[in-house]
């Protein structure tokens, strides 16, 4: 087991650092009511990766092109999906949920069509959707670790600023109180887009979306008093689940890494909710006994 | 013989006109001057263009005709827009709302010194606080920024009489400050009689939505 952990040390580090960064970004995206839009942008990035891989592999491109090409295509498709979505929602032709569900279905269909056009993509299709942390190259894992660490530092250092932007967008529909301060909202958007594109390409759609939104959804039940505790909970839950899930999938080799990580996150969260509910009558009684 | 020159208004609008993209005239020929120590009340029915006028004052919206002059530096202007959504999907406490809005740790003593929120309110979450507690928290955020010009868009909506009174008292204290030149713009459905205590400090703009404004 230790030999396996040492073999996958970079992949493990990448997952453990990327997961909490995605979880923190997910907290703010969910707060800004952008979960469905993020799902579409992730699907747009997946489509870009598929298309680039299909074309590049047809021309027997080298490994560097096979790394950079899909990343660039994913970034362009993700950015187009984001900008197009923002513009169409601004016209208020339909509710956000209806609109983004339709976009997601269309992008899913396009992705399947692209994979049908390039038969050698069949293997990549499942890799892009379900991912596999154990197949990460050392280079990808080092870049992912650096990105995760940089993202974590930014979100820790500027937590007030980013939270203020989320609050302002959600409550007022615009930015207020923020004049003359740095960084502006574009830094967060750029970081979110970069993380999302890299994570979809390297870790897969399921890991990305699971780490973005499951921790904040669980945090709403388990850490629901104070934004600080919520953010810490989301980051720790994502990191611990990635570590635990990856180790479990190494121990039981038939278990795929990413679904195991996502199910571990869900299982740990559910266990914590059950424990908390069992404890809560006692906590309530203790509160009643406390002198006022 | 020279006369001591009167300081220029903190905010001035001259011959302002605004039309919606579908051609509806919201206001035209609208002029006002808000001097230090004054509060301008913007009144009018729904859809009359009250919030649009505030955005014109902030220069976030360009009027079709007319000019806005503001002598207050941008960093000294605080603006609390109308609430678009009541729910926030992160468990933010009111103390944390103040902290993130002013971008620094604010001791409870400083947050409560303005008299709008008590220490017991700071641990309430945004989603469980009442409308009055939320509005008073937002006003606290704006006042802690030490603004010289304060623009509030319908801060009294859904507030009971006691909460309205506390907000109005804070506004009165703000514009009456003797240390600095301060003025405020308030969008509200309140009648002039409810702001009588301000006396000559109160000026009023009544929009009708049809371009005939007073």
């Amino acid at each position: 087991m230790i030999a396996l952990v040492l073999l996958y040390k970079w992949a493990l580090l990448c997952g453990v650092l990327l997961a909490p960064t995605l979880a923190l970004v997910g907290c703010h995206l969910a707060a800004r009511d952008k979960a469905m839009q993020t799902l579409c942008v992730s699907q747009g990035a997946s489509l870009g990766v598929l298309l680039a891989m299909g074309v590049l592999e047809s021309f027997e491109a080298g490994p560097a092109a096979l790394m950079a090409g899909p990343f660039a295509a994913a970034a362009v498709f993700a950015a187009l999906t984001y900008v197009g979505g923002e513009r169409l929602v601004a016209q208020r032709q339909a509710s956000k949920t209806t609109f983004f569900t339709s976009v997601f279905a269309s992008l899913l269909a396009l992705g399947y069509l692209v994979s049908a056009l390039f038969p050698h993509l069949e293997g990549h299709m499942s890799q892009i959707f379900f991912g596999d942390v154990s197949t990460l190259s050392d280079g990808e894992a080092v870049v992912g670790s650096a990105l995760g660490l940089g993202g974590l530092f930014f979100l820790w250092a500027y937590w007030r600023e980013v939270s203020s932007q989320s609050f302002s967008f959600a409550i007022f529909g615009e930015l207020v109180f923020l004049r003359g301060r740095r960084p502006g909202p574009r830094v967060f958007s750029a970081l979110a887009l970069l993380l999302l594109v890299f994570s979809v390409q390297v870790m897969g759609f399921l890991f990305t979306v699971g780490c973005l939104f499951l921790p904040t959804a669980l945090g709403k039940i388990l850490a629901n008093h104070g934004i600080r505790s919520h953010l810490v909970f989301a980051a720790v839950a994502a990191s611990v689940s990635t570590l635990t899930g990856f180790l479990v999938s190494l121990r039981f080799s038939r278990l795929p890494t990413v679904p195991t990580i996502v199910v571990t996150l869900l299982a740990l969260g559910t266990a914590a909710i059950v424990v908390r509910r069992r404890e809560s009558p006692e906590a309530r009684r203790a509160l009643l006994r406390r002198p006022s | 013989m020279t006369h001591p020159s009167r300081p220029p208004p903190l905010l001035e609008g001259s011959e302002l006109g605004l039309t919606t993209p579908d051609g509806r005239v919201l206001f035209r020929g609208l002029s006002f001057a808000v001097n230090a120590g004054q509060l301008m009340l913007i009144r009018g029915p729904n859809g009359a263009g009250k919030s649009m006028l505030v955005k014109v004052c902030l220069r976030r919206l360009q009027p079709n005709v007319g000019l806005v002059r503001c002598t207050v530096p941008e960093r000294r202007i605080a603006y609390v827009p109308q609430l678009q959504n009541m729910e926030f999907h992160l468990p933010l406490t009111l103390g944390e709302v103040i902290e993130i809005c002013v971008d620094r740790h604010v001791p409870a003593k400083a947050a409560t010194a303005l008299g709008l929120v008590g220490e017991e309110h700071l641990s309430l979450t945004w989603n469980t606080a009442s409308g009055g507690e939320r509005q008073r928290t937002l006003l606290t955020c704006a006042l802690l920024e030490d603004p010289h010009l304060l623009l509030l868009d319908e801060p009294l909506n859904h507030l009971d009489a006691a909460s309205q009174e506390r907000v109005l008292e804070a506004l009165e204290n703000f514009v009456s400050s003797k240390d600095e030149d301060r003025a405020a713009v308030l969008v509200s459905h309140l009648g002039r009689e409810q702001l009588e205590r301000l006396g000559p400090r109160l000026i009023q703009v009544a929009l009708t939505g049809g371009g005939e404004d007073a």
Side-chain angles (χ1 to χ4, degrees):
Chain A
M1 185 68 180
I2 290 170
L4 275 176
V5 171
L6 288 174
L7 182 66
Y8 293 114
K9 59 180 183 295
W10 289 112
L12 196 57
L13 183 68
C14 175
V16 166
L17 289 173
L18 212 50
T21 315
L22 284 169
L24 292 177
V25 168
C27 288
H28 291 290
L29 291 173
R32 297 173 193 203
D33 197 18
K34 286 189 180 289
M36 273 307 291
Q37 188 175 7
T38 307
L39 214 59
C40 288
V41 173
S42 304
Q43 188 57 37
S46 306
L47 178 63
V49 173
L50 276 173
L51 196 62
M53 294 213 69
V55 172
L56 290 170
E57 286 198 355
S58 302
F59 289 101
E60 296 177 356
L66 279 174
M67 178 69 197
F71 181 81
V76 169
F77 274 71
L80 283 176
T81 313
Y82 176 75
V83 173
E86 288 284 301
R87 286 200 175 175
L88 286 168
V89 164
Q91 291 173 7
R92 294 178 187 176
Q93 298 290 337
S95 82
K96 268 189 190 180
T97 313
T98 312
F99 172 73
F100 285 122
T101 309
S102 315
V103 172
F104 183 75
S106 311
L107 290 169
L108 198 62
L110 280 170
Y112 194 69
L113 273 179
V114 168
S115 72
L117 283 174
F118 302 99
H120 52 271
L121 277 183
E122 262 178 37
H124 292 304
M125 182 89 177
S126 118
Q127 169 78 13
I128 286 161
F129 279 101
F130 299 108
D132 190 352
V133 183
S134 62
T135 58
L136 250 66
S137 70
D138 281 358
E140 287 170 335
V142 169
V143 173
S145 303
L147 192 59
L149 200 60
L152 267 182
F153 174 76
F154 172 82
L155 293 164
W156 171 74
Y158 295 102
W159 77 270
R160 287 194 191 104
E161 180 68 38
V162 177
S163 303
S164 165
Q165 289 165 13
S166 299
F167 178 71
S168 191
F169 279 127
I171 299 298
F172 303 119
E174 61 181 311
L175 272 182
V176 287
F177 298 131
L178 296 171
R179 288 201 184 101
R181 291 208 199 122
R182 284 178 192 277
R186 287 200 179 121
V187 179
F188 175 77
S189 301
L191 173 72
L193 203 64
L194 182 67
L195 272 169
L196 208 130
V197 168
F198 181 83
S199 183
V200 164
Q201 186 191 351
V202 173
M203 311 293 271
F205 180 84
L206 181 61
F207 181 87
T208 309
V209 174
C211 286
L212 277 171
F213 299 117
L214 255 176
T216 186
L218 291 168
K220 275 184 194 162
I221 306 166
L222 291 162
N224 57 2
H225 203 93
I227 192 169
R228 272 198 203 89
S229 59
H230 184 89
L231 294 175
V232 169
F233 170 86
V236 170
S239 201
V240 167
S241 305
T242 303
L243 179 67
T244 315
F246 194 37
L247 293 178
V248 168
S249 76
L250 286 182
R251 173 69 185 80
F252 303 99
S253 57
R254 284 185 62 81
L255 294 178
T257 51
V258 173
T260 310
I261 288 169
V262 174
V263 171
T264 303
L265 180 53
L266 192 64
L268 289 177
T270 311
I273 291 167
V274 171
V275 169
R276 195 172 169 179
R277 289 222 166 136
R278 282 191 172 180
E279 280 178 353
S280 58
E282 185 51 41
R284 251 180 262 138
R285 276 195 291 275
L287 200 69
L288 288 172
R289 280 198 298 271
R290 197 177 296 162
S292 57
Chain B
M1 186 178 156
T2 56
H3 294 281
S5 62
R6 188 193 163 99
L10 299 191
L11 178 70
E12 190 177 12
S14 27
E15 296 297 318
L16 295 173
L18 188 69
T19 309
T20 60
D22 59 4
R24 193 161 63 89
V25 177
L26 290 175
F27 47 84
R28 64 180 160 215
L30 183 66
S31 297
F32 56 83
V34 189
N35 293 300
Q38 286 189 319
L39 183 143
M40 179 167 82
L41 173 67
I42 304 175
R43 294 180 61 214
N46 293 337
K50 302 185 293 294
S51 299
M52 295 290 191
L53 179 57
V54 172
K55 287 187 176 170
V56 166
C57 292
L58 285 164
R59 294 183 209 167
R60 289 183 174 205
L61 192 66
Q62 189 66 34
N64 300 105
V65 286
L67 205 66
V68 170
R69 275 182 229 96
C70 183
T71 55
V72 179
E74 204 164 288
R75 66 191 166 80
R76 289 285 179 208
I77 301 174
Y79 165 51
V80 182
Q82 222 178 123
L83 298 185
Q84 300 292 325
N85 295 302
M86 297 308 272
E87 293 282 303
F88 183 56
H89 298 297
L90 284 177
L92 201 60
T93 63
L94 297 185
E96 286 174 333
V97 170
I98 295 172
E99 184 173 351
I100 63 167
C101 286
V102 302
D103 200 23
R104 61 175 188 272
H105 173 69
V106 180
K109 222 174 185 177
T112 55
L114 294 163
L116 286 162
V117 285
E119 215 165 322
E120 69 281 9
H121 296 122
L122 299 177
S123 58
L124 293 174
T125 59
W126 174 265
N127 290 345
T128 55
S130 69
E133 286 158 348
R134 291 176 192 185
Q135 285 291 2
R136 294 202 307 267
T137 304
L138 292 175
L139 189 53
T140 301
C141 295
L143 292 175
L144 281 170
E145 296 273 58
D146 193 23
H148 289 189
L149 180 62
L150 181 61
L151 296 103
L152 305 173
D153 194 350
E154 307 226 16
L156 305 172
N157 279 2
H158 315 298
L159 262 58
D160 59 24
S163 286
Q164 282 192 4
E165 187 57 30
R166 287 177 78 173
V167 171
L168 291 175
E169 201 180 313
L171 268 176
E172 190 182 353
N173 291 339
F174 173 75
V175 292
S176 313
S177 165
K178 286 191 172 66
D179 308 330
E180 308 264 11
D181 285 349
R182 285 176 177 162
V185 174
L186 171 70
V187 175
S188 176
H189 292 284
L190 281 186
R192 197 184 167 101
E193 62 283 358
Q194 286 161 285
L195 290 163
E196 245 172 11
R197 66 169 100 172
L198 285 165
R201 290 182 182 279
L202 182 69
I203 54 173
Q204 183 175 239
V205 169
L207 300 180
T208 61
E212 304 299 322
D213 308 309

